[in-house]
Amino acid sequence: MFSHVKDLQFEAKPDGPDAAFARRLQEVLGGKWGEMTVANQYLFQGWNCRLPGKYKDLLLDVGTEEVGHVEMIVTMITRLLDNAPLSLSEGVADNPGGAAIYAGSNPAHFIHSGGGALPADSNGVPWNGAFITASGNLLADFQLNVTAEAQGRLQVARLFNMTDDPGVKQMLRFLLARDTMHQNMWLAAIEQLKEDGLEDMPVPEAFPDSGEFTEEFGYAYLSFSSGTDASEGRWASGPTPDGKGEFRYGDSPRANAPEPVLPPGDPRLYGTNPGVAGSVVNTVKNKLT
């Protein structure tokens, strides 16, 4: 059961209109790493979670908070569009820089939504449910959630430097602070999963060891670049983070199978086949004619 509280988690009021920045702000609303993505991602992970208790509550709590962030950004975009010029002549008449604001605005903000936000990114591409991942494996999902929060915070930080509006900056500061919390929270949740003995690396830990394949391929770094710079990295030597092996550095990767030679395809599919299949093709042609 969900309920809606009319108050916002944090104020979303600009000091003035800016249709061009409203378009840019759409990215952290309906882009791949925007609030619509993380809200739905965490909620679906929570709804699908088969483990009652703290982990399910964590997912649903944060997913619900992110729905509130969606409302905040929608509100900010709508307010940024207030009194925006609807024509070039109107923009120039009101403000010498109005032509640039008009040119940088998204026409769909006015044509599609009547001066409101859109479920789309900064280029007007509609939000897509394929952006979300809810795999059923909490360690896999929590690691992706760290990435989602990092990408979201990165984009908000970039947007912070694209506006001079004090009111907008205040809301962005709040979102940056919450993204800081959420990155740390998912990292802590990953450690908690391991401490509780529920999941560990590699994902999925429950899959049986691949025997000699793990020994030969599971911990070998393969260098396909000139030089040996990569050998200096933590990933090229020493114990692996999962505690189950030792990294090895290989500077001469080798093929483990010969060049594939495919048989002629079904002539009824009209692919380009090798010459040896010519007689077969002619036989089919003769039957058809």
Side-chain angles (χ1 to χ4, degrees):
M1 182 179 72
F2 284 82
S3 62
H4 177 249
V5 177
K6 293 181 180 180
D7 296 333
L8 296 177
Q9 190 181 12
F10 192 83
E11 183 61 273
K13 183 181 292 185
D15 283 29
D18 188 342
F21 187 76
R23 178 178 185 172
R24 297 186 179 200
L25 194 58
Q26 282 283 160
E27 191 63 36
V28 291
L29 172 63
K32 179 179 179 180
W33 302 110
E35 300 289 359
M36 290 181 65
T37 294
V38 291
N40 281 282
Q41 180 158 297
Y42 303 161
L43 288 175
F44 270 89
Q45 289 175 2
W47 291 326
N48 290 341
C49 182
R50 298 178 183 272
L51 188 66
K54 60 189 177 187
Y55 294 108
K56 192 177 186 78
D57 284 358
L58 168 66
L59 287 161
L60 295 177
D61 284 345
V62 188
T64 303
E65 178 186 0
E66 300 289 9
V67 173
H69 293 178
V70 170
E71 183 176 19
M72 287 166 51
I73 295 176
V74 166
T75 301
M76 179 64 82
I77 290 172
T78 302
R79 286 172 167 170
L80 284 166
L81 294 170
D82 285 346
N83 301 314
L86 300 182
S87 67
L88 179 58
S89 59
E90 183 180 327
V92 173
D94 293 343
N95 179 0
I101 295 175
Y102 174 77
S105 65
N106 182 355
H109 274 150
F110 310 103
I111 299 170
H112 293 175
S113 58
L118 297 160
D121 67 12
S122 55
N123 288 317
V125 179
W127 183 82
N128 194 319
F131 293 159
I132 74 169
T133 297
S135 72
N137 182 290
L138 292 182
L139 184 53
D141 286 350
F142 288 176
Q143 290 184 124
L144 178 61
N145 294 350
V146 175
T147 299
E149 293 290 345
Q151 291 291 339
R153 192 172 193 273
L154 178 62
Q155 291 185 352
V156 172
R158 288 169 173 168
L159 283 165
F160 187 87
N161 292 306
M162 296 181 187
T163 179
D164 296 320
D165 188 295
V168 174
K169 282 183 174 289
Q170 280 295 90
M171 186 195 75
L172 296 181
R173 288 187 181 99
F174 173 80
L175 293 174
L176 288 163
R178 292 308 296 159
D179 286 347
T180 298
M181 168 57 188
H182 291 166
Q183 286 187 49
N184 281 286
M185 177 192 70
W186 293 124
L187 288 169
I190 289 169
E191 294 306 312
Q192 184 79 76
L193 275 174
K194 296 176 181 179
E195 291 171 9
D196 288 347
L198 293 170
E199 294 289 349
D200 210 334
M201 289 288 290
V203 176
E205 186 196 16
F207 188 84
D209 197 315
S210 301
E212 69 276 11
F213 288 98
T214 299
E215 178 64 27
E216 184 175 359
F217 302 112
Y219 301 107
Y221 180 89
L222 303 179
S223 174
F224 292 93
S225 302
S226 60
T228 59
D229 290 350
S231 66
E232 302 170 8
R234 169 66 181 81
W235 51 82
S237 63
T240 56
D242 63 11
K244 300 174 183 177
E246 291 279 329
F247 284 126
R248 302 189 310 278
Y249 177 79
D251 58 3
S252 300
R254 61 181 178 83
N256 294 285
E259 177 188 358
V261 178
L262 303 179
D266 188 322
R268 294 169 297 176
L269 300 179
Y270 306 105
T272 302
N273 283 314
V276 293
S279 59
V280 178
V281 173
N282 290 331
T283 300
V284 173
K285 284 184 177 179
N286 291 335
K287 288 184 178 180
L288 292 175
T289 56

